[in-house]
Amino acid sequence: MQRRRTINYYLISGDNKITDRTLFEHLKSAHKKFRTVKDRTFVYKDGSFVKCLSDKTKDKYMLIHLCRYEPNAPSSTIPAHEVDKDLKVGESSGVKEIDPPKGRDYLDSDLFALISEDIVLSCSSGLSFSGFRTYIQNILTRHEDERIAISFKFLKSANEEKIEYIRNNKVKSITLSSPIDYHQAQTITQKNDNITSRDKLVEFINDFFGNKKISLQEVENYQNLHAALTLKFDTRKKSNQSLFEPLNQLAEGIVEDDSVYYEMKLKNNDRVRSDEIIKKKTIDVPKFGNSIKKEDVWDALASEFLKYKNNELE
């Protein structure tokens, strides 16, 4: 049985004032030192951990398999099809918890990635890219120091044809949206040019509520607060035509940011969404349990990397 998955492309941005080595070089060195799975296991979130189950190093890239799990956590089961099909609703024993076998933990989700000098190709089977970021920052911190670990950023690679289309047709409105919570809003205390579009939204909402003398702590269900910001102008007025240039510059500046969802409305009234701009590839790979086969995913990532290096991406 095949499962459909998506390969995403992330450009690696490093700070050469902190390190003159690539992420690939740092990671290869870290994995050479930390050879056990235990050494490559880190706290993730909500009581779960992320760890590297296996890796493979080539001349130009490294392949890794990351997984998320919760130690000793049970899994949920339902009655088998042969039993359930003849039961009326309410007669079924419903969902039950099953503890993992001794010496094993249930796989929550996983992710496969290829890391080279300038790009990361990622294929998720449930584990989000934040799990990859968590692993990279922790393994580099453990190997060297936090300054190096946080110096590497990952920007989604944009589809050049879509970018050119946006340039040719001009952007007249941009809507950014992102979920935020009170704690995130409180952590943004210093403005700088390196913060993401998502963090700028947090700043904006925090300032807005502050100016209105409304405390985020008093907002019911603030954990699920969703921020949205729309920038637009009346394109019919000739005096406003000069606004196209800064709005287009902003549009090009956020296309690689995966921390917010955005939608752009162009001068010709066409709409372009963030998920249309990002470069990605859909693949079909064999099923393996509740995940997919590692070797087949790694082969697909290596094939895409070769196309990327040869400028043959579709």
Side-chain angles (χ1 to χ4, degrees):
M1 182 182 294
Q2 300 286 103
R3 284 188 169 174
R4 181 151 293 187
R5 294 292 183 265
T6 301
I7 295 177
N8 288 303
Y9 307 76
Y10 292 84
L11 300 177
I12 302 172
S13 173
D15 188 340
N16 55 20
K17 294 180 181 178
I18 296 177
T19 176
D20 58 357
R21 300 170 67 196
T22 66
L23 174 64
F24 171 60
E25 292 170 329
H26 280 288
L27 190 57
K28 185 165 60 171
S29 177
H31 278 194
K32 187 175 181 179
K33 179 178 179 180
F34 303 118
R35 296 181 177 274
T36 68
V37 176
K38 180 181 178 181
D39 287 334
R40 300 182 187 181
T41 300
F42 305 99
V43 175
Y44 185 35
K45 57 184 178 181
D46 299 330
S48 68
F49 289 76
V50 61
K51 66 182 177 183
C52 179
L53 291 176
S54 59
D55 67 335
K56 182 189 292 185
T57 303
K58 299 288 187 179
D59 289 339
K60 302 293 185 182
Y61 59 84
M62 175 186 292
L63 294 159
I64 63 174
H65 178 200
L66 303 179
C67 79
R68 175 182 178 174
Y69 72 102
E70 186 178 342
N72 304 312
S75 184
S76 299
T77 66
I78 59 174
H81 174 69
E82 291 73 16
V83 176
D84 198 48
K85 64 181 181 180
D86 295 324
L87 294 176
K88 294 181 179 179
V89 175
E91 294 179 347
S92 170
S93 56
V95 179
K96 288 187 176 181
E97 281 191 344
I98 302 294
D99 291 330
K102 187 177 181 180
R104 310 287 292 182
D105 281 310
Y106 285 123
L107 173 71
D108 177 272
S109 54
D110 52 353
L111 176 147
F112 307 84
L114 180 151
I115 303 98
S116 74
E117 292 186 348
D118 59 349
I119 193 171
V120 172
L121 302 184
S122 169
C123 182
S124 169
S125 185
L127 178 60
S128 69
F129 195 72
S130 66
F132 174 84
R133 288 193 179 99
T134 295
Y135 179 75
I136 293 299
Q137 291 185 2
N138 278 277
I139 192 76
L140 295 190
T141 298
R142 177 171 290 180
H143 180 50
E144 293 169 277
D145 65 65
E146 187 178 15
R147 289 178 69 249
I148 290 176
I150 65 175
S151 68
F152 292 102
K153 308 298 181 185
F154 307 98
L155 304 174
K156 278 195 173 181
S157 181
N159 185 317
E160 289 81 1
E161 291 183 1
K162 280 287 185 182
I163 298 299
E164 193 62 29
Y165 181 73
I166 291 171
R167 287 173 180 165
N168 292 336
N169 290 281
K170 297 183 179 180
V171 176
K172 68 177 184 180
S173 76
I174 302 175
T175 298
L176 304 174
S177 61
S178 175
I180 66 171
D181 61 41
Y182 171 75
H183 301 291
Q184 290 170 321
Q186 292 298 91
T187 59
I188 306 302
T189 58
Q190 184 176 5
K191 292 180 170 67
N192 60 71
D193 294 334
N194 296 321
I195 64 175
T196 65
S197 300
R198 185 181 187 280
D199 290 339
K200 291 174 183 175
L201 277 179
V202 174
E203 282 189 341
F204 174 82
I205 295 300
N206 196 29
D207 290 344
F208 174 81
F209 278 111
N211 290 335
K212 296 294 184 180
K213 296 183 179 180
I214 300 176
S215 172
L216 281 174
Q217 290 176 302
E218 297 172 358
V219 178
E220 185 177 2
N221 295 324
Y222 65 75
Q223 300 97 322
N224 299 318
L225 185 64
H226 194 87
L229 172 64
T230 298
L231 305 175
K232 62 181 180 180
F233 64 96
D234 189 347
T235 60
R236 295 170 298 179
K237 296 182 179 180
K238 287 186 177 181
S239 59
N240 289 347
Q241 297 302 301
S242 60
L243 294 176
F244 274 119
E245 183 177 352
L247 206 58
N248 273 265
Q249 290 177 352
L250 174 61
E252 292 193 32
I254 67 171
V255 293
E256 294 175 344
D257 189 349
D258 66 329
S259 63
V260 293
Y261 170 84
Y262 54 84
E263 181 178 278
M264 301 177 187
K265 189 173 182 180
L266 307 183
K267 190 177 181 180
N268 62 3
N269 288 323
D270 195 5
R271 295 179 184 271
V272 180
R273 302 188 310 273
S274 52
D275 56 1
E276 297 175 317
I277 296 177
I278 299 305
K279 188 182 296 181
K280 55 189 175 182
K281 170 73 177 290
T282 301
I283 59 173
D284 292 309
V285 288
K287 177 180 178 292
F288 185 74
N290 64 345
S291 182
I292 47 182
K293 277 199 172 182
K294 176 184 70 178
E295 292 78 10
D296 293 81
V297 185
W298 278 1
D299 287 345
L301 292 173
S303 175
E304 284 303 297
F305 176 71
L306 184 61
K307 292 177 183 178
Y308 167 76
K309 282 301 182 184
N310 295 330
N311 295 314
E312 297 175 355
L313 289 179
E314 298 175 359

